[in-house]
Amino acid sequence: MSTLHLRRGGTSVVVDMTAQPHPAIVHWGRELVGSTPLSLASLALAARPQRVSGGLDETPRLGLLPTPAGGWLGTPGIEGHRDGAGGSIRFELAGVQSNYHRATISLVDSEAQLAAQIELRVGASGLLHQRILLRNTGASRYTLQSLQIIFPMPWDATEILDTTGRHLRERTPQRRAFTFGTHTRESRRGRPGADATLLLAAGRPGFGFENGRVHGIHVAWSGNHRVTAERTTTGEAFLSGGELLLAGEVILAPGESLQSPWVIGSWGDGLTELSARFHEEWRARPQHPRRPRPVTLNTWEAVYFDHSLEKLAALADAAAGVGVERFVLDDGWFTGRRDDTAGLGDWFVDRDVWPDGLHPLIDQVRELGMEFGLWVEPEMINPDSDLARRHPDWILRGRMALPPSARQQQVLDLAHPDAYDYISGRLHALLEEYPIAYLKWDHNRDLVDAGSGPGGSSRVHDHTLALYRLLDELKARHPRLEIESCASGGARVDLGILDRTDRIWTSDSLDPLERLANQRYTGLVVAPELMGMHLTSPIVHASGRTVSLALSGAVALFGHFGIEWDLTAVDEATREQIVWWVALAKRLRPLIATGRVVHVDGTDPGIDVRGMVAADAASAVFTITQTETSVAYPAGRVRLPGLDAERRYRVRVIAADGRGDHPGQSPLAWAHQDTALTGLELESVGLRPPVQFPQQARVLELLTDD
Ligand code: DGJ
């Protein structure tokens, strides 16, 4: 076979099996409907470069695992050595197994004594998954320095999009030209980090959500990672991704193998199509949380560390009264945890605060008809804890001195068998003693100098594997348990953790205006129902901004809806509004959990338009948010794309913030009459947005009238 054609879900991957020194992907993207073995052989031929002056006699090819000994002059796919020797690697094809959407390509280098199995799988929604199993076939130890997986890009992808951020502002987009050389993003924090890019994407200039061909990759791994966009002067452009290995972290004994994380690529004509592939495929997994996402109340911003049964019982009453279905007790319930300086590691209910344990609170929560959830941070340890005093050797460190402190805490060596057994034992004991339906699993610091002890080896790789094992074991023993992945908000958001958990805490910023961008770019990869979105108290704790309930509600609707607010202190009128928003979130959640996310390009800079369109396109919900004043007054029409072009939709405002009605304003014509437009009319022409004061939102519901 000269070419391999994998196709599914609108995507084709064509591999030239005759490329030298080993196979090379010659196309990843649009499904090549109508291609024949003959045309694909020609496609492969058409990708072959000429020899040119001043270059190697064979112009280098971007193979599946390119290396200098194979003629590759860009960043190698693999680097390693045997005690300083054996750095030359040149993989050759040893075999292939394939069906129409997956293949395992075996490569060997008998001189370097390495074997690699590259798995390629095109998912039902057209995602390309790749991972590599590397085996040391030699008789000496092999130190692996890096293993990066290659995704070739169309040459005309000339603009890069990635995200950066910080605590309280994760996933801020940044764009740049995809020029010659490399653009690399790394995480060295032992978790992806608030500043990590969730997706490294490149596309035609100016690509947006609605249009413009774009490809992107994501590393499904919760430890350190590296992604690179590279353009070479030999006419190759590609994205690569993999785990970032610290010095000496992976040393393969003779016969030993390393399985890389999956690196997942998506593409689309616009980012909406690219992200829909991620959402659809994640939703199709057997473990995907399918029951309606319970409206959640989290106690953190309501009480912080100030725990008392009386206060929390009152909060539970108030929560049930507005329709909350899950009550989550956040940080502060365990021994010595009166503030954030002490206690992590001592996972016993603090008897000074909870003399009868958590039973009285949990009993009440359940009697009120809610599930109970509990906050934990199992990978962490405070030096001021009984655990640290008993087992100082369980703290990750690379030298005698402890690593720089963060939030007064250190990291527990989860790869240490005794530390693992202790943590696992405590979690299982809590889950057995109490009817806990949900764990909010936090991780509040970066892993810095995270070694196995003074002079020991780096532990991030092993720590990440131990974390996965722990999560998998908990899920196996408590199959109905749901877990939220939190890391000071959204500092550990990746599809590795989301394969084992049921939602992420998207950000510690509950500010709806900040959340708009955060949600849009987290949504590049993460489906909306997996993103925790909470109603905030009117003065946002993270930003100090005063926001309306209508704005907070409209933004939180497009996620896993919840509340983080001291409901015992709200007045009756506000309480009634909260009841209304909770009811709306419950009514719309089936759509949020199955629909297609739509972001609208080219809208007035002061206006954000986004929507959720039902899978059968029979209904949709859009929000029109006035983020700042518009220059045009009233603003020009906004489009509502993503609907069925031929069907007619009745458009209705279902939620608004009355502050927008300025005395000089006349009513918005379409909102006060029977208005039904076709999907094509809404997408191509649109309607006048309501005049709103800044920081207000309207929620529109669209229903087909057939
Ligand atoms: C950081 C989380 O993101 C917050 O929601 C809260 O759980 C605190 N940690 C508790 O310490």
Side-chain angles (χ1 to χ4, degrees), residues 300 305 330-331 337 375 407 440 442 444 486-489 505 508 564:
W300 180 239
F305 291 105
D330 210 282
D331 197 356
R337 189 68 167 173
W375 179 96
R407 209 192 189 203
K440 176 177 175 184
D442 211 339
N444 280 304
C486 171
S488 304
W505 182 224
D508 269 354
E564 198 155 331

Side-chain angles (χ1 to χ4, degrees), residues 284-469:
R285 297 166 311 143
Q287 74 269 40
H288 191 74
R290 282 196 179 72
R291 71 182 169 113
R293 301 294 66 223
V295 173
T296 297
L297 180 126
N298 182 287
T299 62
W300 180 239
E301 290 201 356
V303 298
Y304 291 105
F305 291 105
D306 194 8
H307 284 198
S308 78
L309 176 58
E310 197 191 356
K311 172 74 184 182
L312 286 158
L315 189 57
D317 270 338
V322 299
V324 165
E325 297 160 311
R326 174 184 281 160
F327 183 89
V328 180
L329 181 64
D330 210 282
D331 197 356
W333 56 268
F334 48 97
T335 310
R337 189 68 167 173
R338 301 283 55 81
D339 55 32
D340 65 7
T341 62
L344 291 172
D346 298 342
W347 300 109
F348 299 87
V349 177
D350 192 324
R351 293 288 160 169
D352 291 344
V353 183
W354 300 98
D356 300 313
L358 295 176
H359 291 292
L361 178 65
I362 298 182
D363 290 349
Q364 180 177 342
V365 163
R366 286 163 56 87
E367 274 158 27
L368 288 164
M370 298 183 289
E371 299 175 0
F372 181 77
L374 190 64
W375 179 96
V376 288
E377 195 178 6
E379 299 152 81
M380 296 294 159
I381 180 166
N382 281 119
D384 184 3
S385 65
D386 291 342
L387 187 67
R389 284 182 281 275
R390 271 203 328 273
H391 297 288
D393 55 317
W394 288 4
I395 301 178
L396 283 176
R397 64 174 99 190
R399 52 200 303 112
M400 297 296 281
L402 283 177
S405 171
R407 209 192 189 203
Q408 291 80 237
Q409 65 196 55
Q410 294 290 344
V411 186
L412 191 71
D413 184 0
L414 214 54
H416 187 302
D418 297 339
Y420 182 96
D421 288 348
Y422 165 76
I423 285 298
S424 162
R426 284 315 311 144
L427 290 171
H428 286 299
L430 285 163
L431 291 169
E432 263 140 41
E433 181 175 359
Y434 296 107
I436 296 170
Y438 182 80
L439 288 177
K440 176 177 175 184
W441 188 294
D442 211 339
H443 181 282
N444 280 304
R445 66 156 295 169
D446 295 324
L447 273 61
V448 178
D449 196 26
S452 57
S457 55
S458 294
R459 275 286 221 235
V460 174
H461 174 80
D462 289 349
H463 183 94
T464 311
L465 290 177
L467 164 70
Y468 284 174
R469 185 179 139 213

